[in-house]
Amino acid sequence: MSEVPVSGLPLGVKAPAGWVPVWATAVARFARHKPLGALGGIVIAMMVVLAALSYVGLADHVTRYGYDEQVLEDRLQGPSRSHLLGTDHLGRDLLSRVVHGARVSITIGFLAVLLSETLAVLVGVSSGFVRGRFDTVAQRLVDIWQAMPGLLMLIFLIAIFGQSPVVMIVAIGTLRAASGSRLIRGATLGVVNEQYIEAARAMGAGHLRIMARHVVPNIFHIVLIAISISIGGAILVESTLAFLGFGLPPPFPTWGRMLNDSRSHLAYPWPAIVPGMAITLTVFAFNILGDALRDVLDPRLRGSR
Amino acid sequence: MQAYIARRLLLMIPSLIGVTVIVFLAARLAPVSTVNVILGETGIRDEAIAAEVSERLGLNSSLITQYTNWVWGMIRGDFGESWFTGTSVGGELARRLPVSLELGALALLLSVVVAIPIGALSAIRQDTWLDYASRGSAIFLLSIPTFWIGILVVGLGYYFFTWAPPAEYKSIIEDPSAHIRLMFWPVVVLGINLAGTKMRLVRSSLLEVLRQDYVRTARGKGLNERTVIFQHAMRNALIPVVTVIGLQLPLVVAGSVVLESIFLVPGIGRYAVEASTRYDFPVMQAIVVLVAFAIMISNLVIDISYALLDPRIRYN
């Protein structure tokens, strides 16, 4: 990444003709060198657009059916011109339900990971930067945190606190933060002895300022890679919970619950195939994007994991 | 080494206290009233009976007394009674634990057996179509939800072969063939799901080892490639695989929860799902603590075997 131009134009300076913003060249170069990662990015963008369509209420115009609209004479059909992906056991349009399901998975995936990475950065950076006794105590707490058996704990918490988006986001986000904080702490330990940190300290910068202005920006690429892979994982967890009956309650469709519904009519494969493809495609997209980002941003780790 | 094991066991105590406190507080903070959950089944709404139930469950004593009674019970092997069936949770766990352990252990074994040759081949033939295919399928395996493969196995099996998994569990002694027919697919689905990460790890680890000086020496002294890879490189490349088994234990648990529910395997995972759907808190609490404990012990065993496998690693 050595030939990346220096940051954008100063305020008030008009861009000369033919000038391309830095981020655009970076994205173009990424797409050229990592076509698979770029494909992942496109799929993710598509899913985000579908989720947004559902939020603003335009999805039904695109798919021509409401997610809860039952046409009983059309039940359990394969793909056709009127139902592009077929229908389920109540005659609901699978395309419409998958589009609306994207809203649940994408929202919970993004927000849960936003929470988990924020916690992970707070704990990991402070633990790796302060070190000493604080680090020891923090790491013992992370041990306890990591000892929680993830899915079982989630089922337990959701049974107790109810099946709402907030409970799911907080529970998934908090449980995922422990292992993330270990990674961030490791990255922090790798930069605390760098000269620029020493320089900042010599110039009289306080601990908080050094952490926020010097440590975090220098490990941010690690956070970015972790976010991409972690969102895929969070979506898998969300759909697993929904499948087991601990997701958002009906009637709003979620991919996991659609798969659970499909089990009552085994002879008709479409209701089982469509939502499963949606989950796999989305998680796959986040994984290949994360992989490509790692190759580009963190060459030391190339091809590992 | 003994001192190391003793210290690790000691460090487990705060972790276990933490897990039990969190699990206990979560159940006590529940917005649903436990007495109503139990009485909900019967439809009785009588103050006197509600008070009696609450007294019998010990819900009237202080939180600290309740907590210590619960933990002390578990130390003695008494996990309490299910609110729903009234049976002993410990007995039920003892019946179900071997089933889940069998599923998890066989799946892990299968994943190692699948991942090592494919990952190694991928490293040896780096940057060929074979490498790309195996890396692609490894990421793909990480992305497919286990429960979806489970549903597809059942659904497509029914669709094409009118096959369905046996509905009733038989132990291996009772009826070996029925046992294998029931356990086969959950083990295969979970095993393949766990193989993805391991394939990637074997590949990157072997690639790293192949760049080491001693491998160059081995080649330089004229050993054939087969001996270099199997006698020299593989031994060291496989050590990290042991660690990833430890990291994957939570995934094994999650996978068995899902697959036991789909294939009607009477293990701990299915018990947990059933208990949660009916607010059977004593069962859930016991399972979370037991699984957390099992994961801690397995991680200790893994760290110890790590030192045994790699003489460069010394704990003290």
Side-chain angles (χ1 to χ4, degrees):
Chain A
M1 301 287 282
S2 55
E3 70 247 86
V4 172
V6 252
S7 63
L9 295 173
L11 277 174
V13 176
K14 261 187 84 178
W19 186 82
V20 187
V22 182
W23 62 267
T25 35
V27 168
R29 192 182 303 116
F30 179 75
R32 201 164 56 243
H33 291 294
K34 292 282 165 193
L36 209 55
L39 180 72
I42 292 170
V43 171
I44 294 166
M46 202 179 78
M47 289 296 168
V48 171
V49 168
L50 293 184
L53 283 179
S54 169
Y55 269 114
V56 298
L58 285 174
D60 295 350
H61 295 287
V62 180
T63 61
R64 292 177 297 155
Y65 295 92
Y67 61 79
D68 215 17
E69 201 177 319
Q70 304 184 2
V71 187
L72 283 173
E73 55 267 34
D74 285 352
R75 56 204 291 272
L76 292 168
Q77 286 186 353
S80 66
R81 193 168 295 174
S82 54
H83 296 281
L84 290 177
L85 295 178
T87 56
D88 72 358
H89 63 292
L90 293 175
R92 296 175 293 194
D93 184 61
L94 285 174
L95 176 65
S96 171
R97 290 180 70 73
V98 152
V99 168
H100 283 286
R103 164 170 158 185
V104 176
S105 285
I106 291 289
T107 310
I108 293 185
F110 271 93
L111 292 183
V113 170
L114 185 70
L115 174 65
S116 82
E117 287 302 319
T118 311
L119 288 174
V121 167
L122 286 177
V123 175
V125 169
S126 58
S127 194
F129 185 80
V130 178
R131 288 179 279 186
R133 193 169 295 163
F134 175 78
D135 185 31
T136 316
V137 174
Q139 290 315 303
R140 289 290 83 79
L141 290 176
V142 173
D143 277 343
I144 298 177
W145 200 354
Q146 242 178 344
M148 305 278 172
L151 188 66
L152 288 175
M153 198 65 198
L154 284 172
I155 293 175
F156 186 42
L157 291 176
I158 290 169
I160 292 174
F161 295 104
Q163 296 170 287
S164 78
V166 177
V167 171
M168 291 189 76
I169 290 166
V170 172
I172 298 177
T174 333
L175 280 169
R176 291 186 79 79
S179 53
S181 81
R182 283 272 152 85
L183 185 75
I184 305 288
R185 174 177 171 270
T188 307
L189 286 176
V191 299
V192 278
N193 291 324
E194 294 287 336
Q195 284 189 339
Y196 54 81
I197 304 282
E198 209 180 319
R201 194 172 285 135
M203 285 162 71
H207 290 320
L208 281 178
R209 188 187 166 83
I210 297 180
M211 280 191 260
R213 299 297 292 273
H214 300 277
V215 176
V216 172
N218 280 296
I219 60 163
F220 197 71
H221 59 288
I222 307 270
V223 182
L224 212 60
I225 298 164
I227 285 178
S228 179
I229 291 173
S230 192
I231 293 179
I235 289 177
L236 269 185
V237 169
E238 179 273 327
S239 59
T240 306
L241 287 168
F243 171 75
L244 291 172
F246 297 93
L248 298 190
F252 202 84
T254 63
W255 292 341
R257 187 151 35 70
M258 286 171 75
L259 279 172
N260 196 7
D261 290 347
S262 80
R263 292 163 73 197
S264 50
H265 297 272
L266 291 178
Y268 300 92
W270 289 104
I273 290 175
V274 172
M277 294 275 269
I279 302 172
T280 308
L281 187 67
T282 312
V283 177
F284 187 64
F286 278 108
N287 280 337
I288 53 179
L289 177 67
D291 249 35
L293 283 176
R294 173 175 25 223
D295 284 355
V296 171
L297 299 176
D298 198 356
R300 276 181 311 115
L301 292 174
R302 184 158 296 164
S304 67
R305 204 191 78 132
Chain B
M1 193 65 172
Q2 268 126 356
Y4 171 76
I5 297 175
R7 208 182 60 216
R8 282 285 300 264
L9 287 172
L10 274 179
L11 274 177
M12 243 178 240
I13 294 171
S15 291
L16 279 172
I17 293 178
V19 171
T20 48
V21 166
I22 291 171
V23 168
F24 175 81
L25 283 183
R28 288 300 172 277
L29 289 174
V32 291
S33 146
T34 46
V35 177
N36 281 350
V37 168
I38 295 171
L39 290 182
E41 287 293 317
T42 58
I44 299 172
R45 287 288 175 276
D46 185 337
E47 290 293 323
I49 295 177
E52 194 198 314
V53 170
S54 149
E55 177 65 41
R56 212 176 56 216
L57 292 174
L59 294 176
N60 294 339
S61 43
S62 75
L63 278 184
I64 295 173
T65 324
Q66 287 183 48
Y67 172 77
T68 40
N69 283 344
W70 174 56
V71 170
W72 180 235
M74 284 195 295
I75 294 172
R76 290 173 309 163
D78 172 15
F79 288 86
E81 283 170 7
S82 155
W83 286 353
F84 195 75
T85 59
T87 49
S88 142
V89 177
E92 192 74 10
L93 289 177
R95 250 195 313 282
R96 287 167 178 267
L97 192 61
V99 184
S100 291
L101 285 179
E102 180 190 339
L103 172 57
L106 287 178
L108 272 174
L109 187 71
L110 177 69
S111 70
V112 172
V113 171
V114 169
I116 290 178
I118 300 181
L121 208 60
S122 190
I124 297 165
R125 305 251 180 282
Q126 193 191 1
D127 292 328
T128 61
W129 64 268
L130 211 150
D131 182 25
Y132 293 130
S134 94
R135 281 162 72 191
S137 49
I139 307 187
F140 192 63
L141 285 180
L142 291 177
S143 316
I144 311 185
T146 356
F147 60 90
W148 188 42
I149 316 182
I151 295 178
L152 286 183
V153 166
V154 177
L156 299 179
Y158 182 78
Y159 191 72
F160 289 111
F161 310 105
T162 51
W163 168 91
E168 203 191 345
Y169 174 80
K170 290 274 194 294
S171 80
I172 187 114
I173 307 154
E174 244 178 308
D175 185 348
S177 122
H179 182 82
I180 292 167
R181 263 185 295 146
L182 182 70
M183 298 296 273
F184 179 78
W185 281 110
V187 167
V188 168
V189 174
L190 185 53
I192 290 182
N193 186 262
L194 296 170
T197 313
K198 291 203 193 75
M199 274 157 66
R200 287 156 66 96
L201 185 86
V202 171
R203 175 182 178 275
S204 63
S205 162
L206 184 57
L207 277 179
E208 204 174 303
V209 170
L210 285 175
R211 280 195 283 266
Q212 302 280 323
D213 285 343
Y214 73 91
V215 170
R216 192 186 306 145
T217 312
R219 283 191 180 131
K221 71 182 183 188
L223 293 180
N224 64 23
E225 194 61 20
R226 182 181 296 263
T227 320
V228 172
I229 286 167
F230 287 103
Q231 300 282 316
H232 294 256
M234 276 301 247
R235 287 183 162 203
N236 283 322
L238 290 185
I239 293 172
V241 177
V242 179
T243 336
V244 89
I245 292 179
L247 293 175
Q248 282 191 325
L249 286 176
L251 285 179
V252 177
V253 175
S256 10
V257 169
V258 164
L259 292 168
E260 285 174 9
S261 301
I262 295 176
F263 289 95
L264 304 181
V265 180
I268 301 272
R270 192 166 143 220
Y271 194 30
V273 173
E274 287 167 0
S276 294
T277 21
R278 52 200 191 200
Y279 300 104
D280 204 340
F281 290 163
V283 176
M284 275 314 289
Q285 285 171 283
I287 292 177
V288 172
V289 173
L290 187 75
V291 172
F293 182 63
I295 291 181
M296 285 176 210
I297 294 282
S298 320
N299 277 326
L300 176 59
V301 171
I302 282 164
D303 285 349
I304 294 169
S305 58
Y306 209 69
L308 295 178
L309 286 173
D310 189 346
R312 284 170 302 183
I313 295 170
R314 283 278 166 266
Y315 299 119
N316 35 45

